[in-house]
């Protein structure tokens, strides 16, 4: 009998955090859920980070994912946006690490490539491909939720490959892989 595994995919953001869950049995994946945490109504950046952390913990405690796949921030021109996105990703990762759920991070290009075969695909193209792959009846209004689901599907496709994104199995693993960035 094949072991069942649940993968939580997260597209971090301080305006909207998208997430999706898939179940994997053997070599078959199936859709569980996709949704988003809408943070637009909050002005306080620190409150947004707290809500991202709490929602990620809630998802972990509700669905017991075996692994988390998270989209890495892309390097844009706006440094402030990049900083906020990095913080959002960091608190989502901290939530997973605090519950000892292994995390793998993927670049947006790698996720798009895994889903569509094109690293420059649009959000809409990624969403339509996911709709076809997972037989989703309808797509959400905001495509941040499908971006989170795409991270989970990307992780499924990359299982067993030697070179995936950065992976962390816990705090010690994170610190060891980032020793050059940790002050002593």
């Amino acid at each position: 009998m094949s072991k069942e595994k649940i993968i939580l995919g997260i597209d971090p953001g301080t305006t909207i955090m998208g997430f999706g869950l898939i179940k994997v049995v053997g070599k078959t994946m199936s859709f569980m859920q996709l949704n988003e945490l809408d943070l637009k109504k909050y002005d306080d950046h620190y409150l947004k980070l707290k809500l991202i952390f709490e929602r990620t913990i809630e998802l972990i405690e509700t669905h017991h994912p075996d692994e988390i796949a998270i989209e890495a921030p892309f390097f844009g021109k706006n440094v402030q946006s990049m900083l906020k996105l990095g913080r959002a990703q960091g608190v989502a990762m901290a939530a997973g690490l605090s519950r000892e759920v292994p995390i793998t991070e993927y670049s947006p290009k790698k996720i798009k490539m895994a889903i569509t075969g094109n690293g420059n695909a649009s959000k809409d193209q990624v969403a339509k491909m996911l709709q076809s792959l997972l037989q989703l009846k309808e797509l959400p209004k905001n495509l941040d939720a499908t971006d989170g689901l795409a991270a989970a599907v990307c992780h499924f496709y990359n299982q067993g490959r030697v070179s995936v994104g950065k992976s962390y199995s816990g705090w010690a693993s994170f610190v060891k892989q980032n020793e050059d960035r940790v002050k002593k």
Side-chain angles (χ1 to χ4, degrees):
M1 188 164 117
S2 296
K3 183 183 178 322
E4 179 180 295
K5 181 184 344 188
I6 295 173
I7 302 171
L8 167 60
I10 298 175
D11 175 30
T14 55
T15 305
I16 296 174
M17 178 184 91
F19 59 89
L21 289 137
I22 59 171
K23 182 186 296 186
V24 178
V25 179
K27 295 183 181 206
T28 306
M29 70 173 158
S30 60
F31 171 75
M32 287 179 65
Q33 178 186 357
L34 83 155
N35 209 332
E36 59 192 34
L37 172 62
D38 188 345
L39 300 160
K40 286 183 241 144
K41 64 185 172 201
Y42 303 102
D43 292 328
D44 184 344
H45 182 67
Y46 300 106
L47 174 59
K48 290 180 180 190
L49 295 176
K50 177 181 182 278
L51 294 170
I52 291 167
F53 184 87
E54 289 173 349
R55 183 64 174 127
T56 304
I57 291 289
E58 181 184 329
L59 288 166
I60 292 167
E61 290 176 351
T62 302
H63 300 285
H64 308 286
D66 298 283
E67 297 170 8
I68 295 174
I70 192 163
E71 185 172 314
F74 59 91
F75 298 98
K77 291 184 175 119
N78 187 329
V79 176
Q80 283 302 318
S81 294
M82 185 70 190
L83 180 62
K84 287 179 181 177
L85 202 55
R87 287 177 175 168
Q89 182 201 33
V91 295
M93 290 173 77
L97 292 168
S98 75
R99 296 301 192 263
E100 297 186 6
V101 181
I103 298 169
T104 304
E105 138 182 52
Y106 296 94
S107 72
K109 264 194 182 318
K110 184 155 185 134
I111 292 171
K112 291 173 183 178
M113 185 64 132
I115 306 303
T116 68
N118 175 2
N120 295 315
S122 68
K123 278 179 172 275
D124 195 49
Q125 289 171 315
V126 170
K128 294 259 194 269
M129 185 59 84
L130 287 171
Q131 186 174 28
S132 173
L133 284 169
L134 297 167
Q135 288 92 44
L136 303 177
K137 289 178 181 49
E138 59 184 65
L139 292 172
K141 188 177 68 160
N142 294 322
L143 298 182
D144 297 279
T146 51
D147 285 351
L149 184 61
V153 172
C154 172
H155 188 63
F156 167 73
Y157 286 147
N158 282 281
Q159 288 177 340
R161 298 216 175 136
V162 178
S163 173
V164 290
K166 289 185 178 179
S167 295
Y168 311 110
S169 57
W171 283 115
S173 167
F174 178 82
V175 170
K176 185 172 173 69
Q177 290 186 42
N178 291 281
E179 286 175 337
D180 57 320
R181 293 156 63 190
V182 177
K183 298 209 187 252
K184 298 209 178 232

